[in-house]
Amino acid sequence: MPTFEEARRIILDRVSPLGVERVGVLESLGRVIAEEIVAPWDMPLCDNSAMDGFAVRAADCSAIPVSLRVTGYIPAGGEVCGAVEPGCAIRIMTGAPLPPGCDAVVPVEETEGSGETVTVTAPVTPRQHIRFRGEDVATGEVIIPAGTLIRPPEISMLASFGKAIVPVYRKARVAILSTGDELIELGEPPVPGKIVNSNTLSLAAAVRDCGAEPVILGIARDNRESHREKMTEGLRADALITSAGVSAGDRDLVRDVLAELGVEQVFWKVDIKPGGPTAFGMHGTRPVFSLPGNPVSTMVTFEEFARPALLKMMGHRRVLKPFVKALLKEEARKKPGKINFLRVQVTVEDGTYVASTSGNQHTGILKTMVRANGLVVLPSEASVVPAGSEVEMHLLGSDVEMLEG
């Protein structure tokens, strides 16, 4: 049985990035770029005005105020109308190309008058309010390295250089299968002894949240034929995730049927709680995650094991959420021997993360997962972690800045 860290290392060593596809620039948002993108030209392409105002010769403005004759006008997108002659100015708009002879732009707010003459009322220094050619990006400069996650700023940069089609790593198609005769589908009336199949939807949401594409297989009933049919379909995807049926009971058929279908079991059981019975296998190059059926355990083990693997498959370089320090608000007790993941509500107090239990930590209590925005890692050797202790934790979700103090 591997340790928590060993299990994650084993999984990440076994998976590799998927192939590359080319998509429209807007569709590349949230994907990982697969090739280095180099600037084909300078940005900006020419010296241009950073302000609405007047193109001038700084030497003509050494004594303030000074009146200059206006000899032309260059709008944004317009063409240069001539050079700035001594004692003259040309009205210019933001982004318009700089005329010859100009070495400064005076903002309109620092001038008076209109028509044929303008008076400059503030000191002028050479090069002020000018955006110079190649100042932002020079031809041949790497504008987006391979492996970069594409965000709105990257979209803007790609579009600025005319990149309508972008090479990105392919989205992982992830098959999701829940098992058990006790399950009913969403919409069926609840009856005693039956459970709505929430795991499929929570896993599909988690898969989609990390940028992959869920493929919902439905429910495998507690017989080999049903398992084999559903799993055969699932093994055609880039990855397969099952929930429940992974322990050692009479109806826990997942590992046996996967083995019959040629899945190599890499490990079964990890020294964590919740989620100890987790299994991981490989079907060729396809990872197979067999997660416990309890909804809390399913979500925790997806977060810790499946999510990093899927991110790596889609080209991400940073696949593990960083652990940060937090102060534990209440005492926590556990049995030594396993790492425990404590569901917590995290706040920021005086610049410090403070973690408070989100409620009953029994794995059957779903509402404590709903309330949680972090997981505290309680060390395997610990039995009591006193209130006020500094603990390691990582946040769930991405809205760190939304934490309430």
Side-chain angles (χ1 to χ4, degrees), residues 21-294:
E21 62 180 350
R22 296 182 182 271
V23 300
V25 64
L26 185 57
E27 284 66 47
S28 71
L29 182 67
R31 309 282 288 276
V32 176
I33 202 156
E35 299 172 11
E36 179 180 272
I37 304 297
V38 175
W41 57 72
D42 291 335
M43 189 168 75
L45 266 174
C46 65
D47 298 347
N48 66 84
S49 177
M51 303 287 287
D52 291 344
F54 293 87
V56 302
R57 291 157 39 98
D60 290 338
C61 306
S62 56
I64 298 300
V66 62
S67 292
L68 304 172
R69 186 164 60 92
V70 178
T71 60
Y73 170 61
I74 311 174
E79 296 182 359
V80 174
C81 59
V84 178
E85 303 293 343
C88 298
I90 293 177
R91 185 168 179 81
I92 193 168
M93 297 293 105
T94 301
L98 223 60
C102 164
D103 64 354
V105 172
V106 179
V108 69
E109 296 87 352
E110 297 177 2
T111 66
E112 293 177 355
S114 60
E116 296 182 358
T117 303
V118 64
T119 299
V120 178
T121 59
V124 177
T125 57
R127 301 173 67 88
Q128 73 175 31
H129 305 305
I130 296 174
R131 296 187 293 217
F132 293 95
R133 176 171 181 161
E135 176 180 271
D136 188 355
V137 179
T139 302
E141 183 178 341
V142 175
I143 53 173
I144 303 180
T148 298
L149 177 66
I150 300 177
R151 307 164 301 153
E154 282 77 20
I155 296 287
S156 181
M157 183 67 81
L158 290 163
S160 295
F161 284 102
K163 301 294 184 182
I165 303 297
V166 182
V168 294
Y169 286 102
R170 187 165 60 79
K171 282 186 178 184
R173 294 181 68 254
V174 184
I176 299 167
L177 177 64
S178 294
T179 68
D181 283 345
E182 73 278 13
L183 299 179
I184 58 174
E185 294 290 15
L186 184 67
E188 294 184 43
V191 294
K194 297 292 185 181
I195 303 169
V196 175
N197 179 20
S198 63
N199 277 355
T200 284
L201 293 175
S202 69
L203 285 170
V207 164
R208 186 170 291 174
D209 185 59
C210 71
E213 181 182 332
V215 179
I216 294 176
L217 302 177
I219 300 169
R221 298 303 175 185
D222 288 332
N223 61 76
R224 289 181 180 273
E225 293 72 21
S226 180
H227 275 55
R228 189 177 294 109
E229 176 191 353
K230 298 288 188 181
M231 290 176 176
T232 298
E233 181 183 354
L235 290 171
R236 298 189 185 105
D238 297 310
L240 170 62
I241 301 177
T242 70
S243 66
V246 73
S247 293
D250 292 342
R251 293 191 171 189
D252 292 329
L253 305 173
V254 167
R255 291 185 301 118
D256 287 348
V257 176
L258 286 173
E260 292 171 9
L261 294 174
V263 174
E264 171 204 0
Q265 181 174 286
V266 179
F267 65 74
W268 175 48
K269 295 187 177 180
V270 187
D271 70 341
I272 61 171
K273 184 178 179 180
T278 297
F280 171 70
M282 295 292 296
H283 186 253
T285 60
R286 296 174 173 85
V288 178
F289 299 90
S290 300
L291 309 182
N294 188 294

Side-chain angles (χ1 to χ4, degrees), residues 305-324:
F305 300 124
R307 182 181 183 276
L310 296 178
L311 290 176
K312 183 177 178 182
M313 292 169 68
M314 294 184 292
H316 290 255
R317 305 289 176 87
R318 298 177 60 186
V319 301
L320 297 176
K321 288 186 177 179
F323 285 103
V324 297

